[in-house]
């Protein structure tokens, strides 16, 4: 089966695919060209027999003319997450698209797990208050993990994997709220009132925009924590800031914001009970190789005629058309 590497950003491709992984692809397929191709190469090389593309962040949105130069193209194996920027025109032609979105969600779940554990131990509040010898043990410790309640908002790949991790390593009561729950807002309100940690994993659909309101933050339990590795647009940021200024016992851990990064001078940079991170929960550095490995294994299933595990559907692409 004739394959190519196609990506507009060589740095991304080099980060995601190791030399060993590229060599493995070459050993299990007929690599048409050893070098990484980009759209500028499409008109200058013969792609008439290419059946499979391997790519990652930087996969181009191919035009009809460019796709016409690959009449035998059957599948794209995308070692990254969202595909909505390039997949529609492929799916319209019956070309399969496989995405490593589940693999990309693993480090997000691991990141949230670490933040949940630290939140249950009251680490973040202790850290911001322990600034002198006399402050040692001045502030009460958190409840710990035994028997406490953690709420996961959303039931996608990240939330589902995180729930498994929580059940495997902690003795906690996990509330998981399905994204499509008909009573989503009511369930979220209940979770904010009852859980010691609320972790957001909703997809950024129009109906979830600003779903986390000032009222919700004000309703949280004393010393509770809100974690956001979902999307920044789901939070009423101004309302959250007002609530956290009044409720200094609360802690917010936003890995994503809207806009991203926050504008210069935003209180999020200086509020003591807000701990920003720069959208680093997803796959980074060595973690990106998991995505490449996922798509190599998917390709092997493809060559054997087995069902693919990470296929992208037209519905997935439609859901992906949203404000980041």
């Amino acid at each position: 089966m004739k394959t190519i590497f196609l990506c507009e950003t060589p740095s991304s491709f080099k980060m995601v695919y190791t030399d060993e992984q590229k060599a493995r692809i070459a050993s299990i397929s007929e690599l048409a060209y050893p070098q990484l191709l980009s759209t500028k190469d499409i008109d200058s090389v013969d792609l008439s027999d290419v059946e499979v593309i391997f790519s990652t962040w930087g996969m181009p949105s191919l035009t009809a003319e460019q796709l016409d130069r690959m009449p035998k193209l059957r599948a794209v194996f995308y070692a990254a997450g969202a595909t909505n920027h390039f997949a529609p025109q492929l799916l319209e032609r019956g070309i399969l698209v496989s995405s490593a979105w589940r693999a990309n969600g693993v480090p997000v779940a691991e990141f949230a797990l670490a933040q949940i554990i630290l939140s249950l131990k009251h680490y973040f509040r202790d850290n911001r208050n322990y600034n002198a010898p006399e402050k040692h043990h001045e502030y009460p410790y958190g409840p710990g993990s035994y028997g406490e309640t953690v709420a996961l908002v959303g039931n996608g790949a990240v939330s589902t994997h995180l729930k498994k991790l929580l059940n495997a390593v902690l003795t906690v009561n996990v509330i998981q709220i399905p994204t499509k729950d008909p009573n989503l807002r009511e369930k979220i309100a209940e979770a904010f009132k009852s859980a010691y940690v609320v972790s957001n994993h909703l997809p950024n659909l129009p109906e979830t925009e600003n779903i986390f309101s000032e009222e919700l933050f004000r309703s949280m339990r004393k010393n509770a924590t809100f974690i956001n590795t979902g999307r920044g647009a789901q939070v009423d940021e101004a309302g959250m800031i007002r609530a956290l200024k009044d409720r200094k016992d609360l802690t917010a851990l936003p890995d994503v914001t809207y806009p991203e990064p926050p504008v210069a001078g935003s209180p999020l940079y200086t509020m003591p009970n807000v701990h920003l991170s720069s959208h680093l929960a997803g796959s980074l550095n060595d973690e990106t190789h998991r995505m490449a490995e996922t798509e190599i294994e998917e390709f092997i299933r493809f060559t054997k005629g087995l069902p693919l595990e990470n296929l992208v559907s037209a519905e997935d692409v439609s859901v992906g058309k949203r404000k980041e």
Side-chain angles (χ1 to χ4, degrees):
M1 193 169 294
K2 189 163 286 190
T3 61
I4 59 170
F5 300 136
L6 180 66
C7 185
E8 298 290 82
T9 51
S11 59
S12 295
F13 197 89
K14 182 177 181 180
M15 178 176 67
V16 173
Y17 290 88
T18 66
D19 290 341
E20 291 77 14
Q21 288 171 325
K22 288 184 286 187
R24 187 180 175 202
I25 292 170
S27 72
I28 59 178
S29 70
E30 183 184 350
L31 192 59
Y33 299 95
Q35 75 272 26
L36 176 65
L37 302 179
S38 67
T39 49
K40 65 181 176 60
D41 301 309
I42 290 180
D43 292 333
S44 60
V45 297
D46 181 12
L47 302 176
S48 59
D49 290 331
V50 169
E51 297 174 80
V52 167
I53 292 172
F54 281 92
S55 191
T56 184
W57 294 305
M59 170 66 190
S61 177
L62 298 171
T63 65
E65 292 76 16
Q66 291 167 337
L67 288 170
D68 287 342
R69 293 184 58 82
M70 293 178 272
K72 294 185 179 180
L73 183 63
R74 297 171 59 194
V76 172
F77 293 91
Y78 182 66
T83 62
N84 53 293
H85 66 290
F86 70 85
Q89 56 268 43
L90 302 177
L91 297 177
E92 287 173 2
R93 292 186 178 223
I95 299 167
L96 301 179
V97 177
S98 173
S99 164
W101 59 279
R102 289 189 182 89
N104 191 39
V106 170
V108 181
E110 294 170 344
F111 184 85
L113 172 66
Q115 290 191 318
I116 288 168
I117 292 173
L118 292 174
S119 297
L120 291 170
K121 297 290 285 187
H122 228 198
Y123 167 79
F124 297 101
R125 189 174 185 202
D126 184 77
N127 177 261
R128 63 181 178 259
N129 289 317
Y130 185 22
N131 53 20
E134 61 271 17
K135 298 293 183 71
H136 187 62
H137 288 177
E138 178 178 323
Y139 291 91
Y141 294 115
S145 62
Y146 189 78
E148 254 304 343
T149 298
V150 175
L152 309 180
V153 185
N155 63 331
V158 173
S159 178
T160 300
H161 187 60
L162 176 56
K163 183 178 180 180
K164 291 178 181 178
L165 293 176
L166 286 166
N167 289 334
V169 301
L170 301 177
T171 305
V172 290
N173 172 37
V174 180
I175 300 170
Q176 187 178 34
I177 304 172
T179 303
K180 296 297 185 180
D181 192 306
N183 300 309
L184 178 62
R185 291 181 180 271
E186 291 80 359
K187 295 288 182 65
I188 289 175
E190 293 171 9
F192 267 72
K193 291 176 182 177
S194 63
Y196 198 77
V197 180
V198 177
S199 188
N200 174 41
H201 306 283
L202 286 172
N204 213 33
L205 304 171
E207 57 266 30
T208 66
E209 194 169 314
N210 286 326
I211 197 168
F212 300 110
S213 66
E214 178 177 354
E215 181 182 2
L216 288 177
F217 290 105
R218 291 188 181 278
S219 74
M220 295 183 82
R221 289 171 54 188
K222 184 177 180 179
N223 299 325
T225 298
F226 173 73
I227 297 170
N228 192 10
T229 57
R231 287 293 186 270
Q234 294 161 353
V235 177
D236 172 8
E237 185 178 289
M240 181 184 74
I241 289 172
R242 287 192 296 268
L244 267 63
K245 282 184 176 179
D246 291 341
R247 291 283 308 277
K248 293 180 172 56
D249 59 298
L250 300 179
T251 298
L253 306 176
D255 187 57
V256 289
T257 59
Y258 187 76
E260 190 172 289
V263 297
S266 169
L268 295 178
Y269 290 117
T270 56
M271 291 176 65
N273 53 344
V274 175
H275 299 257
L276 280 174
S277 53
S278 53
H279 205 149
L280 52 79
S283 297
L284 294 174
N285 302 317
D286 290 350
E287 294 170 334
T288 63
H289 307 325
R290 179 192 284 114
M291 298 189 297
E293 195 63 28
T294 295
E295 291 309 297
I296 292 171
E297 293 300 319
E298 187 86 318
F299 171 71
I300 292 172
R301 284 190 289 274
F302 181 65
T303 62
K304 294 180 178 179
L306 299 174
L308 301 187
E309 296 180 353
N310 302 302
L311 277 180
V312 174
S313 69
E315 182 182 5
D316 295 329
V317 173
S318 176
V319 168
K321 291 180 179 178
R322 56 192 184 244
K323 180 172 68 174
E324 290 300 318

